[in-house]
Amino acid sequence: MELSSIQNQHSTNSPSSSSTSSSTPHPTSVHDHDHDPMQSWWESVSKARSRILALSSILSTNQNEIPSSSFSLSSLADSDRPALSLLSSPEAYLLICSSLSSPSSGSGSDSLCQWLYETYISSDPNLRLIVLSFLPLLSSIYLSRLHSGETSSIPSLAGFEAVILAIYSAEAKSRAGKALLVQIPDLSQPSLYHSPRNRPSKEDNKSRTQRPSVGVLSAPLEPQIAVKSTKRAAILGTAFDCYYKQISHMPAFSKLQFCKFAAAWAGQDCHCKNKLDFDGENVDELEIDDFTENFDKLAIEKVGDELKGVRIPVPWEFLQPVLRILGHCLLGPLNSQDVKDAAAVAVRRLYARASHDLVPQAIVGTRSLIQLDKRERAAAKANAAAAAAAAAVAANASSNANTPNKAKKPEILLVSK
């Protein structure tokens, strides 16, 4: 698909489209889906299988790059849940990442970008998860090529932008022109757990009720037909918001990639990142291994080298959803230790970047995450020490119980006659 056809499809599926026939489902199909869940399930499975087979044909030339020669991408289409099988497959993830990382990727004629675009606008929730899982790598390659300084050798990035715009437009349509609001508690009012010494007067109550208790988390989204330089941070931030909403379904290797790229977005490494680690622990020296050993052969390492030393603009509208994702990766109880360590490094480097840029919101956000991480690590260390002590006590008690006691000599009583 050429760039013009991608843009035409994007404008047709955008919220500002004047056509209503594509957005209004046929009454018969709605009736069938509501009363026949088996038919709806089968249609979803069939759609996922067809998308996987199409992807297999696109990446057939890259099959030799997968570490395991016995892996077949088309075999995932035969499972009962093909979309989720593709989402959770490390081999398929490596294969797609290798194709996305090629020097010629991202153009308007890139067949893989076309597949990602068409898969996301299919509106199938499981298929959308697959596209979102590649957002960290796609956005990182996109930003690294934009800010590499070698504008003469940069290929067309229309394919990457089409995928990002598809995610943005779907989110703008779901919000329906409304802002995201958050309830802000009024700290001047007493809480539920104590009563004030002096009862407030009627005038105080009246002034308190007039205070706004709602804050704007995100302004209403405007329809966009292109990724302009002035709107790029907002569009990417909105795409990261969509990633954050589904982060509980994202595989660990996608989260690990996001953390590594977030650390690279902070720019050149600086000793300021360990400023808050007063206990002398250098968190940057934590061992951050990949999800599998196959990641060592992945082209993601080359992308990381491209990002080193490249200063990526990180305005607040871009950094805010990034910190939300890092907060989940840092504190999520079900995340692996590799993901938590990678998030710890990223947060500290972004704190150093915010300290140099003098961005108050970013300083407060990253500082809070660092403090929470320190508490979590201290608690985990204390729990591990307590568990080790309990295990040692139990081992000693068990060894004492299993040790045979020496037979006591019979006592001889001397009785005088």
Side-chain angles (χ1 to χ4, degrees), residues 115-136:
W115 184 89
L116 292 172
Y117 174 85
E118 294 177 349
T119 301
Y120 197 84
I121 66 174
S122 65
S123 300
D124 186 89
N126 293 329
L127 291 176
R128 283 188 169 186
L129 292 177
I130 298 173
V131 180
L132 287 176
S133 67
F134 294 100
L135 181 62

Side-chain angles (χ1 to χ4, degrees), residues 52-253:
I52 292 177
L53 293 177
L55 177 64
S56 178
S57 62
I58 293 173
L59 302 180
S60 58
T61 57
N62 296 337
Q63 288 284 356
N64 55 351
E65 297 182 10
I66 203 70
S68 177
S69 59
S70 61
F71 173 77
S72 175
L73 187 62
S74 59
S75 63
L76 300 177
D78 299 330
S79 63
D80 295 336
R81 298 187 296 175
L84 297 180
S85 298
L86 177 59
L87 177 66
S88 58
S89 173
E91 294 83 3
Y93 191 86
L94 291 174
L95 181 60
I96 299 174
C97 285
S98 299
S99 182
L100 281 176
S101 303
S102 64
S104 60
S105 63
S107 63
S109 59
D110 188 355
S111 56
L112 180 55
C113 289
Q114 175 187 351
W115 184 89
L116 292 172
Y117 174 85
E118 294 177 349
T119 301
Y120 197 84
I121 66 174
S122 65
S123 300
D124 186 89
N126 293 329
L127 291 176
R128 283 188 169 186
L129 292 177
I130 298 173
V131 180
L132 287 176
S133 67
F134 294 100
L135 181 62
L137 179 61
L138 188 147
S139 59
S140 298
I141 300 174
Y142 174 71
L143 290 174
S144 65
R145 292 179 181 177
L146 280 176
H147 301 283
S148 62
E150 301 176 359
T151 57
S152 58
S153 60
I154 295 179
S156 173
L157 302 177
F160 288 158
E161 292 180 346
V163 178
I164 295 172
L165 278 175
I167 301 174
Y168 174 87
S169 298
E171 179 65 14
K173 184 177 180 180
S174 64
R175 294 187 187 182
K178 298 180 181 179
L180 293 182
L181 306 178
V182 59
Q183 296 290 333
I184 301 177
D186 189 355
L187 300 181
S188 65
Q189 296 185 6
S191 67
L192 298 175
Y193 304 101
H194 77 281
S195 58
R197 296 180 180 179
N198 299 325
R199 300 186 64 180
S201 61
K202 295 182 179 180
E203 296 181 357
D204 294 337
N205 290 332
K206 184 177 179 181
S207 62
R208 288 172 180 175
T209 55
Q210 293 177 353
R211 293 177 182 174
S213 59
V214 177
V216 178
L217 187 62
S218 178
L221 300 179
E222 300 176 356
Q224 303 290 338
I225 60 175
V227 183
K228 300 180 181 180
S229 58
T230 56
K231 299 293 183 180
R232 184 179 295 121
I235 292 174
L236 286 172
T238 302
F240 289 145
D241 271 330
C242 298
Y243 184 92
Y244 174 72
K245 290 180 181 179
Q246 304 295 336
I247 195 167
S248 60
H249 303 288
M250 291 294 106
F253 32 81

Side-chain angles (χ1 to χ4, degrees), residues 232-234 237 312-322 353 357 359 362:
R232 184 179 295 121
I312 304 296
V314 285
W316 180 242
E317 55 189 351
F318 174 86
L319 186 59
Q320 186 179 23
V322 171
R353 170 69 181 272
D357 293 347
V359 182

